[in-house]
PDB file of all heavy atoms in Angstrom:
ATOM      1  N   SER A   1      -1.304  18.572  -2.929  1.00 67.00           N
ATOM      2  CA  SER A   1      -0.332  18.917  -1.841  1.00 67.00           C
ATOM      3  C   SER A   1      -0.885  18.461  -0.515  1.00 67.00           C
ATOM      4  O   SER A   1      -0.109  18.285   0.400  1.00 67.00           O
ATOM      5  CB  SER A   1      -0.019  20.356  -1.853  1.00 67.00           C
ATOM      6  OG  SER A   1      -1.146  21.138  -1.512  1.00 67.00           O
ATOM      7  N   GLY A   2      -2.206  18.252  -0.392  1.00 73.00           N
ATOM      8  CA  GLY A   2      -2.720  17.680   0.888  1.00 73.00           C
ATOM      9  C   GLY A   2      -2.231  16.269   1.124  1.00 73.00           C
ATOM     10  O   GLY A   2      -2.499  15.779   2.244  1.00 73.00           O
ATOM     11  N   PHE A   3      -1.655  15.622   0.179  1.00 74.00           N
ATOM     12  CA  PHE A   3      -1.044  14.360   0.299  1.00 74.00           C
ATOM     13  C   PHE A   3      -0.139  14.252   1.513  1.00 74.00           C
ATOM     14  O   PHE A   3       0.064  13.216   2.157  1.00 74.00           O
ATOM     15  CB  PHE A   3      -0.261  13.978  -0.937  1.00 74.00           C
ATOM     16  CG  PHE A   3       0.174  12.580  -1.055  1.00 74.00           C
ATOM     17  CD1 PHE A   3      -0.655  11.430  -1.083  1.00 74.00           C
ATOM     18  CD2 PHE A   3       1.519  12.348  -1.222  1.00 74.00           C
ATOM     19  CE1 PHE A   3      -0.196  10.163  -1.219  1.00 74.00           C
ATOM     20  CE2 PHE A   3       2.024  11.064  -1.355  1.00 74.00           C
ATOM     21  CZ  PHE A   3       1.139   9.958  -1.361  1.00 74.00           C
ATOM     22  N   ILE A   4       0.421  15.381   1.894  1.00 74.00           N
ATOM     23  CA  ILE A   4       1.452  15.472   3.016  1.00 74.00           C
ATOM     24  C   ILE A   4       0.768  14.939   4.284  1.00 74.00           C
ATOM     25  O   ILE A   4       1.531  14.427   5.196  1.00 74.00           O
ATOM     26  CB  ILE A   4       1.994  16.892   3.198  1.00 74.00           C
ATOM     27  CG1 ILE A   4       3.077  16.887   4.192  1.00 74.00           C
ATOM     28  CG2 ILE A   4       0.882  17.832   3.609  1.00 74.00           C
ATOM     29  CD1 ILE A   4       3.835  18.206   4.283  1.00 74.00           C
ATOM     30  N   MET A   5      -0.530  15.101   4.398  1.00 85.00           N
ATOM     31  CA  MET A   5      -1.199  14.698   5.676  1.00 85.00           C
ATOM     32  C   MET A   5      -1.655  13.234   5.690  1.00 85.00           C
ATOM     33  O   MET A   5      -2.387  12.864   6.588  1.00 85.00           O
ATOM     34  CB  MET A   5      -2.407  15.616   5.918  1.00 85.00           C
ATOM     35  CG  MET A   5      -2.027  17.033   6.113  1.00 85.00           C
ATOM     36  SD  MET A   5      -1.003  17.296   7.548  1.00 85.00           S
ATOM     37  CE  MET A   5      -0.737  19.060   7.590  1.00 85.00           C
ATOM     38  N   TYR A   6      -1.373  12.502   4.603  1.00 92.00           N
ATOM     39  CA  TYR A   6      -1.795  11.159   4.548  1.00 92.00           C
ATOM     40  C   TYR A   6      -0.769  10.143   4.863  1.00 92.00           C
ATOM     41  O   TYR A   6       0.461  10.289   4.413  1.00 92.00           O
ATOM     42  CB  TYR A   6      -2.372  10.791   3.144  1.00 92.00           C
ATOM     43  CG  TYR A   6      -3.740  11.441   2.903  1.00 92.00           C
ATOM     44  CD1 TYR A   6      -3.863  12.711   2.529  1.00 92.00           C
ATOM     45  CD2 TYR A   6      -4.866  10.641   2.865  1.00 92.00           C
ATOM     46  CE1 TYR A   6      -5.122  13.304   2.311  1.00 92.00           C
ATOM     47  CE2 TYR A   6      -6.081  11.143   2.670  1.00 92.00           C
ATOM     48  CZ  TYR A   6      -6.161  12.456   2.394  1.00 92.00           C
ATOM     49  OH  TYR A   6      -7.475  13.015   2.106  1.00 92.00           O
ATOM     50  N   ASN A   7      -1.108   9.010   5.546  1.00 95.00           N
ATOM     51  CA  ASN A   7      -0.312   7.828   5.649  1.00 95.00           C
ATOM     52  C   ASN A   7      -0.293   7.137   4.328  1.00 95.00           C
ATOM     53  O   ASN A   7      -1.368   7.071   3.651  1.00 95.00           O
ATOM     54  CB  ASN A   7      -0.792   6.966   6.708  1.00 95.00           C
ATOM     55  CG  ASN A   7      -1.032   7.628   8.135  1.00 95.00           C
ATOM     56  OD1 ASN A   7      -0.080   7.817   8.867  1.00 95.00           O
ATOM     57  ND2 ASN A   7      -2.255   8.133   8.310  1.00 95.00           N
ATOM     58  N   VAL A   8       0.805   6.638   3.868  1.00 96.00           N
ATOM     59  CA  VAL A   8       0.851   5.945   2.579  1.00 96.00           C
ATOM     60  C   VAL A   8       1.385   4.524   2.703  1.00 96.00           C
ATOM     61  O   VAL A   8       2.416   4.314   3.285  1.00 96.00           O
ATOM     62  CB  VAL A   8       1.725   6.741   1.627  1.00 96.00           C
ATOM     63  CG1 VAL A   8       1.805   6.046   0.247  1.00 96.00           C
ATOM     64  CG2 VAL A   8       1.187   8.145   1.375  1.00 96.00           C
ATOM     65  N   GLY A   9       0.611   3.622   2.069  1.00 97.00           N
ATOM     66  CA  GLY A   9       1.056   2.188   2.138  1.00 97.00           C
ATOM     67  C   GLY A   9       1.231   1.624   0.723  1.00 97.00           C
ATOM     68  O   GLY A   9       0.753   2.197  -0.259  1.00 97.00           O
ATOM     69  N   TRP A  10       1.982   0.530   0.765  1.00 98.00           N
ATOM     70  CA  TRP A  10       2.153  -0.192  -0.525  1.00 98.00           C
ATOM     71  C   TRP A  10       1.594  -1.633  -0.322  1.00 98.00           C
ATOM     72  O   TRP A  10       1.860  -2.287   0.770  1.00 98.00           O
ATOM     73  CB  TRP A  10       3.643  -0.305  -0.886  1.00 98.00           C
ATOM     74  CG  TRP A  10       4.235   0.945  -1.492  1.00 98.00           C
ATOM     75  CD1 TRP A  10       4.904   1.905  -0.890  1.00 98.00           C
ATOM     76  CD2 TRP A  10       4.235   1.286  -2.846  1.00 98.00           C
ATOM     77  NE1 TRP A  10       5.333   2.922  -1.686  1.00 98.00           N
ATOM     78  CE2 TRP A  10       4.888   2.544  -3.058  1.00 98.00           C
ATOM     79  CE3 TRP A  10       3.703   0.721  -4.020  1.00 98.00           C
ATOM     80  CZ2 TRP A  10       5.027   3.161  -4.213  1.00 98.00           C
ATOM     81  CZ3 TRP A  10       3.868   1.409  -5.262  1.00 98.00           C
ATOM     82  CH2 TRP A  10       4.540   2.557  -5.345  1.00 98.00           C
ATOM     83  N   PHE A  11       0.896  -2.071  -1.329  1.00 98.00           N
ATOM     84  CA  PHE A  11       0.369  -3.426  -1.350  1.00 98.00           C
ATOM     85  C   PHE A  11       0.763  -4.069  -2.649  1.00 98.00           C
ATOM     86  O   PHE A  11       1.146  -3.398  -3.617  1.00 98.00           O
ATOM     87  CB  PHE A  11      -1.186  -3.425  -1.209  1.00 98.00           C
ATOM     88  CG  PHE A  11      -1.657  -2.961   0.095  1.00 98.00           C
ATOM     89  CD1 PHE A  11      -1.636  -1.658   0.503  1.00 98.00           C
ATOM     90  CD2 PHE A  11      -2.131  -3.920   0.940  1.00 98.00           C
ATOM     91  CE1 PHE A  11      -2.125  -1.268   1.768  1.00 98.00           C
ATOM     92  CE2 PHE A  11      -2.642  -3.509   2.260  1.00 98.00           C
ATOM     93  CZ  PHE A  11      -2.637  -2.263   2.614  1.00 98.00           C
ATOM     94  N   ARG A  12       0.712  -5.379  -2.699  1.00 98.00           N
ATOM     95  CA  ARG A  12       0.972  -6.116  -3.963  1.00 98.00           C
ATOM     96  C   ARG A  12       0.055  -7.246  -4.128  1.00 98.00           C
ATOM     97  O   ARG A  12      -0.508  -7.773  -3.155  1.00 98.00           O
ATOM     98  CB  ARG A  12       2.464  -6.593  -4.055  1.00 98.00           C
ATOM     99  CG  ARG A  12       2.719  -7.659  -2.947  1.00 98.00           C
ATOM    100  CD  ARG A  12       4.294  -7.851  -2.934  1.00 98.00           C
ATOM    101  NE  ARG A  12       4.609  -8.881  -1.948  1.00 98.00           N
ATOM    102  CZ  ARG A  12       5.872  -9.171  -1.592  1.00 98.00           C
ATOM    103  NH1 ARG A  12       6.863  -8.494  -2.109  1.00 98.00           N
ATOM    104  NH2 ARG A  12       6.104 -10.231  -0.677  1.00 98.00           N
ATOM    105  N   GLN A  13      -0.184  -7.680  -5.402  1.00 98.00           N
ATOM    106  CA  GLN A  13      -1.107  -8.720  -5.699  1.00 98.00           C
ATOM    107  C   GLN A  13      -0.478  -9.565  -6.762  1.00 98.00           C
ATOM    108  O   GLN A  13      -0.223  -9.152  -7.915  1.00 98.00           O
ATOM    109  CB  GLN A  13      -2.477  -8.210  -6.093  1.00 98.00           C
ATOM    110  CG  GLN A  13      -3.515  -9.330  -6.308  1.00 98.00           C
ATOM    111  CD  GLN A  13      -4.891  -8.736  -6.293  1.00 98.00           C
ATOM    112  OE1 GLN A  13      -5.149  -7.622  -6.648  1.00 98.00           O
ATOM    113  NE2 GLN A  13      -5.861  -9.601  -5.972  1.00 98.00           N
ATOM    114  N   ALA A  14      -0.218 -10.874  -6.462  1.00 96.00           N
ATOM    115  CA  ALA A  14       0.311 -11.796  -7.372  1.00 96.00           C
ATOM    116  C   ALA A  14      -0.835 -12.461  -8.094  1.00 96.00           C
ATOM    117  O   ALA A  14      -1.931 -12.540  -7.589  1.00 96.00           O
ATOM    118  CB  ALA A  14       1.169 -12.861  -6.660  1.00 96.00           C
ATOM    119  N   PRO A  15      -0.570 -12.996  -9.273  1.00 90.00           N
ATOM    120  CA  PRO A  15      -1.668 -13.687 -10.064  1.00 90.00           C
ATOM    121  C   PRO A  15      -2.319 -14.813  -9.222  1.00 90.00           C
ATOM    122  O   PRO A  15      -1.610 -15.626  -8.671  1.00 90.00           O
ATOM    123  CB  PRO A  15      -0.942 -14.189 -11.260  1.00 90.00           C
ATOM    124  CG  PRO A  15       0.186 -13.252 -11.470  1.00 90.00           C
ATOM    125  CD  PRO A  15       0.670 -12.937 -10.016  1.00 90.00           C
ATOM    126  N   GLY A  16      -3.624 -14.786  -9.191  1.00 93.00           N
ATOM    127  CA  GLY A  16      -4.341 -15.792  -8.451  1.00 93.00           C
ATOM    128  C   GLY A  16      -4.263 -15.700  -6.910  1.00 93.00           C
ATOM    129  O   GLY A  16      -4.785 -16.639  -6.233  1.00 93.00           O
ATOM    130  N   LYS A  17      -3.694 -14.595  -6.419  1.00 95.00           N
ATOM    131  CA  LYS A  17      -3.594 -14.518  -4.940  1.00 95.00           C
ATOM    132  C   LYS A  17      -4.276 -13.245  -4.523  1.00 95.00           C
ATOM    133  O   LYS A  17      -4.585 -12.331  -5.260  1.00 95.00           O
ATOM    134  CB  LYS A  17      -2.155 -14.538  -4.523  1.00 95.00           C
ATOM    135  CG  LYS A  17      -1.456 -15.811  -4.686  1.00 95.00           C
ATOM    136  CD  LYS A  17      -0.127 -15.848  -4.030  1.00 95.00           C
ATOM    137  CE  LYS A  17       0.544 -17.228  -4.030  1.00 95.00           C
ATOM    138  NZ  LYS A  17       1.775 -17.261  -3.260  1.00 95.00           N
ATOM    139  N   GLU A  18      -4.506 -13.136  -3.186  1.00 95.00           N
ATOM    140  CA  GLU A  18      -5.166 -11.908  -2.583  1.00 95.00           C
ATOM    141  C   GLU A  18      -4.064 -10.835  -2.461  1.00 95.00           C
ATOM    142  O   GLU A  18      -2.932 -10.989  -2.497  1.00 95.00           O
ATOM    143  CB  GLU A  18      -5.570 -12.306  -1.194  1.00 95.00           C
ATOM    144  CG  GLU A  18      -6.608 -13.445  -1.082  1.00 95.00           C
ATOM    145  CD  GLU A  18      -5.956 -14.803  -0.958  1.00 95.00           C
ATOM    146  OE1 GLU A  18      -4.649 -14.865  -0.988  1.00 95.00           O
ATOM    147  OE2 GLU A  18      -6.589 -15.786  -0.864  1.00 95.00           O
ATOM    148  N   ARG A  19      -4.587  -9.590  -2.468  1.00 96.00           N
ATOM    149  CA  ARG A  19      -3.796  -8.467  -2.242  1.00 96.00           C
ATOM    150  C   ARG A  19      -3.118  -8.466  -0.865  1.00 96.00           C
ATOM    151  O   ARG A  19      -3.887  -8.687   0.117  1.00 96.00           O
ATOM    152  CB  ARG A  19      -4.571  -7.200  -2.446  1.00 96.00           C
ATOM    153  CG  ARG A  19      -3.760  -5.898  -2.465  1.00 96.00           C
ATOM    154  CD  ARG A  19      -4.668  -4.671  -2.770  1.00 96.00           C
ATOM    155  NE  ARG A  19      -5.214  -4.852  -4.148  1.00 96.00           N
ATOM    156  CZ  ARG A  19      -5.963  -3.925  -4.721  1.00 96.00           C
ATOM    157  NH1 ARG A  19      -6.202  -2.735  -4.087  1.00 96.00           N
ATOM    158  NH2 ARG A  19      -6.448  -4.061  -5.936  1.00 96.00           N
ATOM    159  N   GLU A  20      -1.804  -8.294  -0.811  1.00 97.00           N
ATOM    160  CA  GLU A  20      -1.201  -8.312   0.486  1.00 97.00           C
ATOM    161  C   GLU A  20      -0.436  -7.034   0.860  1.00 97.00           C
ATOM    162  O   GLU A  20       0.051  -6.363  -0.074  1.00 97.00           O
ATOM    163  CB  GLU A  20      -0.186  -9.522   0.576  1.00 97.00           C
ATOM    164  CG  GLU A  20       0.990  -9.395  -0.340  1.00 97.00           C
ATOM    165  CD  GLU A  20       2.033 -10.452   0.019  1.00 97.00           C
ATOM    166  OE1 GLU A  20       2.077 -11.025   1.107  1.00 97.00           O
ATOM    167  OE2 GLU A  20       2.841 -10.738  -0.982  1.00 97.00           O
ATOM    168  N   PHE A  21      -0.317  -6.756   2.116  1.00 98.00           N
ATOM    169  CA  PHE A  21       0.333  -5.600   2.592  1.00 98.00           C
ATOM    170  C   PHE A  21       1.831  -5.730   2.498  1.00 98.00           C
ATOM    171  O   PHE A  21       2.366  -6.776   2.586  1.00 98.00           O
ATOM    172  CB  PHE A  21      -0.003  -5.377   4.090  1.00 98.00           C
ATOM    173  CG  PHE A  21       0.885  -4.387   4.756  1.00 98.00           C
ATOM    174  CD1 PHE A  21       0.729  -3.025   4.539  1.00 98.00           C
ATOM    175  CD2 PHE A  21       1.829  -4.785   5.626  1.00 98.00           C
ATOM    176  CE1 PHE A  21       1.496  -2.083   5.133  1.00 98.00           C
ATOM    177  CE2 PHE A  21       2.665  -3.858   6.279  1.00 98.00           C
ATOM    178  CZ  PHE A  21       2.474  -2.532   6.017  1.00 98.00           C
ATOM    179  N   VAL A  22       2.513  -4.646   2.104  1.00 98.00           N
ATOM    180  CA  VAL A  22       3.976  -4.585   1.960  1.00 98.00           C
ATOM    181  C   VAL A  22       4.618  -3.679   2.968  1.00 98.00           C
ATOM    182  O   VAL A  22       5.497  -4.082   3.730  1.00 98.00           O
ATOM    183  CB  VAL A  22       4.399  -4.215   0.526  1.00 98.00           C
ATOM    184  CG1 VAL A  22       5.950  -4.134   0.429  1.00 98.00           C
ATOM    185  CG2 VAL A  22       3.905  -5.185  -0.512  1.00 98.00           C
ATOM    186  N   ALA A  23       4.295  -2.433   2.945  1.00 98.00           N
ATOM    187  CA  ALA A  23       4.896  -1.394   3.809  1.00 98.00           C
ATOM    188  C   ALA A  23       3.973  -0.139   3.958  1.00 98.00           C
ATOM    189  O   ALA A  23       3.135   0.091   3.106  1.00 98.00           O
ATOM    190  CB  ALA A  23       6.198  -0.991   3.229  1.00 98.00           C
ATOM    191  N   VAL A  24       4.122   0.590   5.024  1.00 98.00           N
ATOM    192  CA  VAL A  24       3.394   1.795   5.196  1.00 98.00           C
ATOM    193  C   VAL A  24       4.369   2.862   5.880  1.00 98.00           C
ATOM    194  O   VAL A  24       5.198   2.427   6.613  1.00 98.00           O
ATOM    195  CB  VAL A  24       2.141   1.509   6.107  1.00 98.00           C
ATOM    196  CG1 VAL A  24       2.482   1.035   7.443  1.00 98.00           C
ATOM    197  CG2 VAL A  24       1.290   2.794   6.181  1.00 98.00           C
ATOM    198  N   ILE A  25       4.093   4.117   5.610  1.00 97.00           N
ATOM    199  CA  ILE A  25       4.833   5.200   6.230  1.00 97.00           C
ATOM    200  C   ILE A  25       3.846   6.237   6.734  1.00 97.00           C
ATOM    201  O   ILE A  25       2.871   6.472   6.165  1.00 97.00           O
ATOM    202  CB  ILE A  25       5.826   5.838   5.206  1.00 97.00           C
ATOM    203  CG1 ILE A  25       6.740   6.879   5.951  1.00 97.00           C
ATOM    204  CG2 ILE A  25       5.098   6.468   4.079  1.00 97.00           C
ATOM    205  CD1 ILE A  25       7.905   7.308   5.091  1.00 97.00           C
TER     206      ILE A  25
END
């Protein structure tokens, strides 16, 4: 439940590519 105090982001990684940022709240 402490999750409520965390900023949360989404990242994605395509085959053969670096992990990239998508969104954050």
Side-chain angles (χ1 to χ4, degrees):
S1 62
F3 188 62
I4 189 174
M5 297 298 180
Y6 284 79
N7 308 276
V8 177
W10 283 95
F11 291 76
R12 65 190 181 190
Q13 188 165 23
K17 293 191 174 183
E18 304 86 358
R19 187 173 300 184
E20 70 169 336
F21 168 74
V22 177
V24 62
I25 188 167

